[in-house]
Amino acid sequence: MLQALHKHLARGVRERMEDSQKLSLFHKSGVYNFKDSNTVFIDPVRVLNRFYNRFTVSPSTYYPRFFKSLTPKTTVPSSPTKRKRKKRKRCSEESRPLNDREQIALQRHQELRPLLMKAHECLLKSNGLLGALKDLRSESDSCCLKEECECGEQCFVELGQQAPDLVVTLNLCIRDIDKDMEDSPNVQYCEQRSILPVFNNFVVNDTEDDAMAEILNNHYIMPRESCFYMSDLGQIRNLIPAHTDCGFNLIMVDPPWENASAHQKSRCSMSFEIPISCTCCLLQVKANGSLIGDLDLFHHRPYESLILGYSPGKVKNSDNQSKFKPLKDDHVIMSIPGDYSRKPPIADLLQEYIPGVKPPRCVELFAREIMAGCVAWGNEPLHFQDSRYFVKKMAT
């Protein structure tokens, strides 16, 4: 009996130590791996900030939703003359017959539901991680200085039509390391300024440091070793490399929904045929660990399916070629959602499953944000690179 008690206590101590180590890694990398599960939780702010030196993504602007307010809400009495807006009845699965696509979606949801429930249970059992989630929005902003915007938000779709010859001033920070210093290399910086066309042109930050792009007095922060190509759909052919061995081995696509709003903004429609290999799910939760919505709500479920397709292309033999490692069909990635239409940075989580050259050549289509080591294409890839979403590190 005493021996069993000792084993139980030792197991508890070991589990607490493992959880402490995972939390320590989470604070550094932004990724938390659950034990005996293919479920991970990511903090997009920490993941993104690994690719910036002089700036950091502001948690308070990345997470404008799903955090409880620290100040009590004041109730404003409604005007007696103001009519109350009638609530629209939400469509339920029983209100009308489902069409073929809806039936397929419902069947897929029923297959995924046990997996999602199990993943959510992993989160609710991780007390250390749940405690850390409450502080994600407020961390680091207090010790940084905000980079203020001089103008309002730019609409690049309209600018592309009104001022197609608009230019961008790109300020690059080039590192100059004095290797003669044996003990500690003396790192100095020199600025390089370039003036380039902003539309239908590759704008590249090929340095190992952040770069700042200036357009009409607004500032945009680019991560290290990144590139964007801002154009409409008609210019997408310019992304195709001249040589086949210089192509992309990771292509991320999140096309706009085909509704009136998306049609007005993008003026494009695109369909894709992908050989599906497997799927994993992006599960969205609030800061307290609860789901952002009812798991079974038909048209607004708190998750999306990530479809992975592999194309078996012919590549030349090379030492930096990686072997194909398939991703199992039971992965769940959890995160607290950022601003509307802002996708979590999951490319790093897929690195070991990407066949081809290493490091992978990546491109994101319909991008609204720039990732390190990736080409961002779309008609507004600078949207979330606006300096209002960043804070500037204080000099040390």
Side-chain angles (χ1 to χ4, degrees):
M1 187 73 178
L2 187 60
Q3 187 178 6
L5 179 61
H6 281 303
K7 288 184 178 180
H8 177 74
L9 293 174
R11 183 170 61 252
V13 171
R14 185 170 59 253
E15 289 177 353
R16 286 192 294 271
M17 289 181 62
E18 290 177 355
D19 190 52
S20 177
Q21 292 174 351
K22 287 183 179 180
L23 282 175
S24 179
L25 291 173
F26 172 69
H27 285 293
K28 294 179 181 178
S29 67
V31 180
Y32 186 97
N33 292 281
F34 294 93
K35 185 178 180 181
D36 301 326
S37 174
N38 287 328
T39 301
V40 299
F41 184 94
I42 66 170
D43 172 20
V45 173
R46 284 189 172 93
V47 174
L48 292 171
N49 282 338
R50 299 207 306 263
F51 309 113
Y52 295 92
N53 295 324
R54 293 175 294 133
F55 297 88
T56 60
V57 178
S58 166
S60 61
T61 56
Y62 190 97
Y63 293 117
R65 307 180 291 163
F66 305 115
F67 277 80
K68 290 184 178 180
S69 175
L70 298 178
T71 57
K73 294 183 178 180
T74 56
T75 304
V76 180
S78 59
S79 173
T81 59
K82 190 175 182 180
R83 293 183 179 180
K84 291 184 178 180
R85 185 177 296 177
K86 292 183 179 180
K87 292 184 178 180
R88 294 178 61 184
K89 293 183 179 181
R90 292 185 175 180
C91 275
S92 64
E93 297 167 12
E94 296 82 9
S95 61
R96 60 173 175 80
L98 302 180
N99 59 37
D100 293 342
R101 289 187 178 184
E102 289 172 331
Q103 289 178 356
I104 294 174
L106 178 59
Q107 181 181 353
R108 182 59 177 162
H109 170 72
Q110 292 171 343
E111 294 171 354
L112 292 174
R113 197 178 190 282
L115 173 66
L116 299 173
M117 291 295 294
K118 184 177 180 181
H120 191 221
E121 289 175 4
C122 289
L123 174 64
L124 296 180
K125 292 179 181 178
S126 303
N127 295 327
L129 178 59
L130 286 176
L133 299 189
K134 300 175 183 178
D135 299 324
L136 290 187
R137 188 179 180 184
S138 59
E139 285 186 358
S140 80
D141 273 8
S142 59
C143 62
C144 299
L145 300 175
K146 284 198 177 291
E147 182 73 14
E148 298 294 341
C149 300
E150 297 183 17
C151 301
E153 182 178 339
Q154 302 281 8
C155 179
F156 287 105
V157 177
E158 294 179 0
L159 282 176
Q161 298 167 357
Q162 299 170 0
D165 297 328
L166 191 67
V167 297
V168 54
T169 302
L170 186 64
N171 297 301
L172 301 175
C173 197
I174 310 298
R175 292 188 182 190
D176 183 15
I177 302 178
D178 186 0
K179 296 183 179 180
D180 294 335
M181 302 285 293
E182 295 183 359
D183 297 333
S184 58
N186 184 22
V187 181
Q188 297 180 342
Y189 294 90
C190 62
E191 286 196 358
Q192 176 181 322
R193 176 171 293 189
S194 303
I195 299 179
L196 307 164
V198 69
F199 296 110
N200 304 326
N201 180 53
F202 280 99
V203 180
V204 182
N205 173 20
D206 56 2
T207 73
E208 296 181 357
D209 201 359
D210 321 340
M212 180 179 289
E214 182 178 345
I215 304 173
L216 297 179
N217 295 324
N218 273 29
H219 296 93
Y220 303 88
I221 313 301
M222 293 182 64
R224 60 172 174 82
E225 299 174 340
S226 64
C227 169
F228 73 86
Y229 189 93
M230 186 151 46
S231 76
D232 59 22
L233 186 62
Q235 302 297 323
I236 194 174
R237 67 176 70 89
N238 293 327
L239 293 177
I240 302 174
H243 304 286
T244 56
D245 57 349
C246 297
F248 302 106
N249 56 329
L250 172 61
I251 303 175
M252 297 180 289
V253 187
D254 184 13
W257 292 100
E258 291 190 5
N259 54 28
S261 175
H263 181 72
Q264 289 174 2
K265 288 185 177 181
S266 62
R267 291 178 172 81
C268 70
S269 175
M270 180 176 282
S271 61
F272 297 90
E273 293 184 3
I274 303 175
I276 298 176
S277 172
C278 66
T279 61
C280 61
C281 296
L282 304 176
L283 190 50
Q284 300 174 323
V285 297
K286 299 179 182 179
N288 60 7
S290 63
L291 298 175
I292 64 169
D294 187 348
L295 184 60
D296 296 314
L297 192 60
F298 191 52
H299 288 294
H300 298 279
R301 290 179 177 134
Y303 71 92
E304 295 181 4
S305 292
L306 175 66
I307 304 174
L308 304 179
Y310 297 92
S311 178
K314 295 180 180 180
V315 294
K316 298 179 181 179
N317 293 327
S318 175
D319 294 336
N320 64 344
Q321 294 286 328
S322 63
K323 293 182 179 179
F324 176 71
K325 180 181 179 181
L327 180 67
K328 294 181 180 179
D329 197 16
D330 56 355
H331 279 247
V332 177
I333 302 171
M334 283 189 286
S335 178
I336 299 175
D339 207 346
Y340 291 99
S341 76
R342 193 168 192 176
K343 301 180 294 295
I346 61 172
D348 268 13
L349 300 178
L350 303 176
Q351 291 284 329
E352 59 181 314
Y353 306 104
I354 302 173
V357 295
K358 295 292 181 180
R361 301 187 183 112
C362 307
V363 61
E364 181 179 2
L365 307 183
F366 306 100
R368 305 187 77 207
E369 188 168 15
I370 303 176
M371 305 295 174
C374 185
V375 176
W377 172 85
N379 55 17
E380 49 179 359
L382 293 177
H383 180 83
F384 289 115
Q385 303 304 133
D386 194 303
S387 59
R388 75 186 66 205
Y389 297 107
F390 291 80
V391 291
K392 191 173 183 179
K393 289 184 178 179
M394 295 182 65
T396 56

